[in-house]
């Protein structure tokens, strides 16, 4: 009887230990930067921390949580590669060394259907890996696939064919996600 | 004096207004509206940013046995677009040829339409003329819409608009109908719910537009 009681206590103990440490299989977040925006964790207040599919995630702010939830697998893949993409995009000086980012300022970009048209137009191009349109900033942000280029003349032609006017084109040093987050924050604060 | 005022109004409208469903190259569109007296569906594809082709079905149910229906092949053409830093204005026309029926007679049908609009991110005004011709009659629906966005939303957020619509259809006998509508835009989708008031009371109307 004593042995049965002992075994019972041990079982309870083991169960309690197992339930008290449910995160024992959770992989720690390997980066000191937000996987969405590349911002330094803590630079925008207390990081947002949660677990997704046994992977600890740390984001710089709540706005990035929306982006993460929209494409969780993309960011899990980034983390899986030990943040290789994020590190590639931003060097210690904040200079981009990854896929080229192109920022277009477009006249006539005023409504959702305008945004939809230009998003679909650029998404069809083989050299484009990501498109983000911000109406408040009249901006079309493009991320090019590795080794690809988008000369100004071609960008202008595409924007004109889509029914808009290209006002300005530049090639920022920051990463695509970083600029996207900044644009979103700016438009939310307006 | 009256003619001058009408001309001034027409000029003001046409210089302000915008477009029917013409999208960017290679993009498809769907536009449908269910109204108390006028309903339609248009589906098509834009081959350039200025020209679209498709199919349209139109139904006027103006009471007293005067209904009219037509199904046509459509061609929409954006005549002119003004792109400014914070606004856009368009003038576009459309035409169609197909089959139609009214009063028990069926035959060739044609449609003509013209739209003009101006919008910035806060305000939108649109004038649309839609004419449908069949051998036994014709209908002309004129619509003037003014909209206001209570707050600005981004492409991936729900963008609300509040509109007021003024509509007239010839042969209807109801005179003008008018009423408020709520429009919600989200990415490729636009949904509209409208309450129109006429001599016959209030009527709920609905519309949808989408790019795909």
């Amino acid at each position: 009887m004593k042995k049965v009681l002992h075994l019972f206590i041990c079982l309870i103990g083991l169960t309690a230990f197992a339930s008290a440490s449910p995160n024992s299989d959770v992989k720690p977040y390997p980066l000191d930067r937000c996987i969405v925006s590349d911002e330094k964790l803590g630079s925008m207040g207390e990081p947002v921390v949660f677990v997704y599919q046994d992977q600890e995630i740390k984001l710089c702010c709540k706005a990035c949580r929306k982006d993460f939830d929209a494409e969780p697998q993309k960011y899990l893949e980034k983390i899986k590669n030990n943040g290789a993409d994020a590190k590639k995009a931003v060097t210690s000086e904040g200079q981009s060394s990854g896929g080229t980012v192109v920022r277009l300022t477009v006249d006539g970009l005023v409504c959702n259907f305008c945004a939809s048209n230009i998003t679909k137009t650029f998404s069809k191009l083989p050299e484009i890996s990501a498109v983000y349109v911000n109406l408040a900033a009249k901006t079309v942000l493009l991320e090019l696939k590795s080794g690809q280029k988008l000369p100004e003349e071609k960008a202008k032609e595409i924007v004109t064919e889509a029914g808009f006017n290209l006002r300005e084109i530049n090639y920022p040093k920051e990463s695509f996600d970083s600029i996207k987050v900044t644009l979103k924050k700016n438009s939310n604060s307006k | 004096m009256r003619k001058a005022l009408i001309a001034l109004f027409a000029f003001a409208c046409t210089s302000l207004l915008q477009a029917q469903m013409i999208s960017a190259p290679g993009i498809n569109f769907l536009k449908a509206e269910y109204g108390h007296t006028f309903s339609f569906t248009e589906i098509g594809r834009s081959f350039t940013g200025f020209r679209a082709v498709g199919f349209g079905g139109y139904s006027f149910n103006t009471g007293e046995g005067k209904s009219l229906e037509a199904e046509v092949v459509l061609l929409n053409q954006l005549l002119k677009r003004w792109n400014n830093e914070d606004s856009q204005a368009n003038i576009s026309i459309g035409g169609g040829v197909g089959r139609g029926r009214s009063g028990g007679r069926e035959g060739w049908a044609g449609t003509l339409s013209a739209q003009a609009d101006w919008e910035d991110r806060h305000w939108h005004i649109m004038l649309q003329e839609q004419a449908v011709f069949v051998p036994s009659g014709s209908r002309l629906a004129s619509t003037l819409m003014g909209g206001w966005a209570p707050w600005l939303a981004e492409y991936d957020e729900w963008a609300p608009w509040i509109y007021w619509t003024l509509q007239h259809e010839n042969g209807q006998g109801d005179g003008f109908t008018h009423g408020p509508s709520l429009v919600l835009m989200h990415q490729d989708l636009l949904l509209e719910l409208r309450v129109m008031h006429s001599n016959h009371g209030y009527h709920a109307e609905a519309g949808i537009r989408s790019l795909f």
Side-chain angles (χ1 to χ4, degrees):
Chain A
M1 181 63 187
K2 202 174 178 180
K3 280 184 182 174
V4 174
L5 197 62
H6 188 73
L7 188 65
F8 183 68
I9 289 167
C10 284
L11 276 174
I12 287 176
L14 280 172
T15 311
F17 177 77
S19 60
S21 53
N23 296 332
S24 57
D25 291 337
V26 173
K27 295 172 206 149
Y29 187 69
L31 306 170
D32 61 350
R33 289 182 175 273
C34 172
I35 196 66
V36 174
S37 69
D38 293 337
E39 295 281 350
K40 186 94 172 160
L41 290 171
S43 65
M44 304 186 67
E46 197 64 26
V48 175
V49 183
F50 58 97
V51 175
Y52 185 90
Q53 292 183 355
D54 295 333
Q55 172 65 59
E56 183 188 36
I57 311 290
K58 291 184 181 177
L59 305 176
C60 64
C61 64
K62 283 181 186 173
C64 288
R65 179 69 195 257
K66 275 187 186 174
D67 290 342
F68 180 89
D69 289 341
E71 301 173 284
Q73 293 307 323
K74 171 185 160 185
Y75 294 111
L76 280 183
E77 192 63 29
K78 272 188 172 184
I79 296 169
K80 201 174 171 182
N81 298 333
N82 201 18
D85 288 352
K87 281 179 179 171
K88 185 178 67 176
V90 179
T91 66
S92 56
E93 292 84 28
Q95 303 287 302
S96 173
S97 58
T100 307
V101 177
V102 184
R103 182 174 178 160
L104 310 175
T105 307
V106 176
D107 284 350
L109 207 55
V110 291
C111 74
N112 272 40
F113 280 177
C114 301
S116 182
N117 281 340
I118 212 147
T119 301
K120 287 179 189 298
T121 301
F122 277 108
S123 297
K124 286 178 181 175
L125 298 179
E127 55 265 55
I128 304 291
S129 63
V131 183
Y132 170 69
V133 175
N134 188 282
L135 292 170
K138 300 114 192 167
T139 292
V140 180
L141 194 64
L142 307 169
E143 187 178 49
L144 305 184
K145 287 177 185 166
S146 183
Q148 297 290 331
K149 289 179 181 174
L150 184 68
E152 182 171 354
E153 277 310 305
K154 187 172 181 184
K156 189 174 184 179
E157 187 183 329
I158 293 163
V159 169
T160 305
E161 276 181 10
F164 304 95
N165 293 349
L166 180 63
R167 174 178 289 264
E168 192 181 333
I169 181 169
N170 50 53
Y171 302 86
K173 303 283 184 190
E174 297 87 355
S175 73
F176 179 88
D177 287 333
S178 170
I179 300 171
K180 181 179 168 182
V181 167
T182 306
L183 288 171
K184 271 192 168 186
K185 276 174 189 157
N186 290 343
S187 58
N188 287 339
S189 65
K190 279 186 181 175
Chain B
M1 180 63 185
R2 193 178 166 191
K3 280 182 180 174
L5 279 174
I6 291 170
L8 185 64
F9 176 73
F11 174 77
C13 288
T14 50
S15 60
L16 284 177
L17 312 178
Q18 167 201 324
Q20 46 206 27
M21 290 300 274
I22 299 168
S23 188
I27 294 176
N28 304 308
F29 64 82
L30 167 71
K31 178 181 177 183
E33 257 185 58
Y34 170 78
H36 176 57
T37 57
F38 175 44
S39 301
F40 67 88
T41 301
E42 292 178 357
I43 186 163
R45 182 175 178 83
S46 295
F47 288 94
T48 73
F50 298 86
R51 188 171 297 128
V53 296
F55 297 95
Y58 305 87
S59 172
F60 287 85
N61 179 22
T62 51
E64 302 166 7
K66 291 179 180 174
S67 67
L68 181 152
E69 291 169 352
E71 295 84 36
V72 300
V73 176
L74 283 171
L75 173 65
N76 291 340
Q77 176 74 36
L78 178 64
L79 291 181
K80 178 69 179 170
R81 171 173 286 173
W82 292 267
N83 286 313
N84 299 312
E85 189 174 351
D86 295 308
S87 64
Q88 184 190 87
N90 304 274
I91 294 178
S92 57
I93 56 170
V97 178
R99 301 288 288 178
R101 63 206 69 81
S102 178
R105 290 180 61 191
E106 184 166 346
W108 286 98
T111 65
L112 282 175
S113 65
Q115 287 192 29
D117 83 306
W118 171 90
E119 65 181 306
D120 63 9
R121 294 197 67 214
H122 288 278
W123 299 95
H124 180 210
I125 182 168
M126 183 190 78
L127 176 68
Q128 174 184 279
E129 299 288 340
Q130 177 72 59
V132 180
F133 307 94
V134 295
S136 54
S138 65
R139 290 288 186 279
L140 173 67
S142 306
T143 308
L144 179 64
M145 295 178 79
W148 168 69
W151 66 81
L152 301 181
E154 277 304 322
Y155 172 59
D156 53 356
E157 300 167 339
W158 284 97
W161 283 81
I162 295 166
Y163 277 86
W164 198 274
T165 302
L166 179 66
Q167 201 165 52
H168 180 268
E169 292 162 28
N170 71 332
Q172 182 184 356
D174 280 346
F176 285 94
T177 58
H178 63 92
S181 60
L182 173 66
V183 171
L184 294 171
M185 296 184 82
H186 184 263
Q187 294 187 346
D188 306 331
L189 185 67
L190 181 153
L191 300 171
E192 179 175 11
L193 281 175
R194 199 156 59 199
V195 178
M196 295 293 274
H197 176 255
S198 70
N199 295 341
H200 292 248
Y202 289 93
H203 311 284
E205 302 187 342
I208 183 171
R209 296 181 192 193
S210 182
L211 302 177
F212 56 98

